[in-house]
Amino acid sequence: MMPESPQTDVVTGAFGYSGAAIARELLAAGHQVRTLTGHPGRAPAGTPIDARPLDFTDPDVLQRNLRGAHTLYNTYWVRFPHGGVTHETAVANSRVLFEAASRAGVQRVVHVSITHADAASPYPYFRGKAEVERDLTATGIPYAIARPAILFGGNGVLLNNIAWLLRHLPVFAIGGDGSYRIRPIHVDDLARLMTDLGGRDASITVDAVGPQSLTFREMVLAIRAATGSRAVIVPAPGWLLPPVAEALGVVLRDRLLTGEEYRAMADGLADSGEPPTGQVMLTDWIADNGDTLGHRYANEIDRHYR
């Protein structure tokens, strides 16, 4: 009897951040991995991953590149509008992707969303994520939706750049008193959750959150201690933080923090009261990685656009 062929799964952005972690889990489980990526030229030499372009302008090619896949793991989104690509663009592109997956016969979609995704949200990011969830459910494909708030670990941007600022600036400003809570999950915990959800049958939506809920100020103080920074942590009016971040972004040719990101976090949308779906403690990880955290600035625009 001929042995069965390994299951083929598709991961969007398998050479990126969360997509790379998901791909590692799938490869370790013996699956064949294909990626749809906007940067097929970034495929490492000798990678076992089959890299194909993520081209939303040609649904037929998308369908062909999805054919034969059992599960689509979708990490595609845009953090902030840039170069004509908006959250509305990302919603429309996601719809094209899901429709192509349906026509290609994909049997399951596991999708990364956001905590508190809500079609009535005042924030375009959270509103757009809810619209993508709605479009996914409308396809009729069995699905799983994982809703993280903040990711850390690996080559993540947020904690690294907070550490970089703490290493390089004498003062670090926190919007308000920093008492708003966050519930981060390690990127590898997210990947394990995603692949577990991929192996289930029922449609399900879960918050992807770690075991700790701590205040933003507590997180910054933990990073300050772990890096040996002497920066003074000062509260700043919430309205002042986005323009200060924008000014720093001009110098760094990047977007450090958008006004929407700050206000959503201050409104508690990066927290969750759901049971933990990850195991790595944020404060333990910061303490273990303080020596290396923030030595290089991680430029988000360089990673995705330049």
Side-chain angles (χ1 to χ4, degrees):
M1 180 181 293
M2 294 290 291
E4 290 187 11
S5 298
Q7 177 175 307
T8 296
D9 295 323
V10 172
V11 181
T12 59
F15 305 128
Y17 182 44
S18 59
I22 295 166
R24 286 194 298 269
E25 288 291 318
L26 293 170
L27 290 169
H31 294 211
Q32 290 183 340
V33 178
R34 185 186 307 160
T35 188
L36 302 181
T37 171
H39 307 283
R42 291 184 183 175
T47 180
I49 298 174
D50 176 12
R52 305 187 187 184
L54 180 60
D55 184 358
F56 299 108
T57 66
D58 196 333
D60 291 337
V61 171
L62 268 182
Q63 178 182 339
R64 186 160 61 247
N65 288 337
L66 286 161
R67 194 171 296 136
H70 181 279
T71 302
L72 167 63
Y73 292 87
N74 182 45
T75 69
Y76 167 74
W77 188 243
V78 294
R79 189 186 131 204
F80 47 76
H82 181 79
V85 179
T86 65
H87 292 132
E88 290 78 12
T89 306
V91 171
N93 287 344
S94 300
R95 186 181 308 119
V96 170
L97 176 64
F98 295 150
E99 290 171 351
S102 179
R103 294 193 306 274
V106 169
Q107 298 178 47
R108 187 165 181 78
V109 176
V110 184
H111 171 66
V112 178
S113 186
I114 189 76
T115 50
H116 306 285
D118 185 353
S121 174
Y123 303 116
Y125 189 110
F126 291 79
R127 194 165 61 243
K129 282 287 194 179
E131 292 171 4
V132 173
E133 290 186 9
R134 178 202 61 204
D135 290 339
L136 172 57
T137 61
T139 64
I141 305 173
Y143 65 86
I145 297 170
R147 290 176 163 180
I150 292 173
L151 300 180
F152 68 95
N155 63 343
V157 169
L158 177 63
L159 269 65
N160 178 83
N161 287 353
I162 290 174
W164 187 89
L165 292 169
L166 286 167
R167 289 181 184 277
H168 288 84
L169 299 179
V171 175
F172 186 94
I174 292 179
D177 61 4
S179 63
Y180 32 90
R181 306 193 78 82
I182 57 175
R183 192 86 182 275
I185 185 170
H186 193 283
V187 66
D188 291 341
D189 277 342
L190 173 66
R192 284 186 283 269
L193 173 65
M194 296 281 285
T195 54
D196 173 69
L197 293 172
R200 302 188 194 182
D201 296 322
S203 293
I204 184 174
T205 300
V206 296
D207 280 4
V209 289
Q212 278 182 300
S213 171
L214 68 168
T215 68
F216 186 80
R217 180 180 179 83
E218 287 170 341
M219 181 182 73
V220 171
L221 289 173
I223 297 172
R224 180 181 182 272
T227 58
S229 166
R230 297 183 178 181
V232 179
I233 311 300
V234 298
W239 62 265
L240 182 61
L241 201 62
V244 169
E246 185 174 352
L248 280 170
V250 170
V251 175
L252 295 166
R253 300 179 68 231
D254 195 18
R255 293 289 295 275
L256 272 74
L257 178 76
T258 69
E260 176 182 349
E261 287 170 334
Y262 166 68
R263 289 188 294 271
M265 189 162 51
D267 281 349
L269 300 188
D271 194 20
S272 168
E274 295 299 309
T277 46
Q279 298 179 353
V280 179
M281 300 279 286
L282 174 65
T283 50
D284 289 349
W285 184 88
I286 291 172
D288 291 343
N289 291 273
D291 288 344
T292 57
L293 200 59
H295 282 290
R296 279 189 168 190
Y297 180 78
N299 191 298
E300 187 94 16
I301 293 179
D302 279 351
R303 287 189 181 192
H304 296 288
Y305 296 104
R306 293 194 182 107

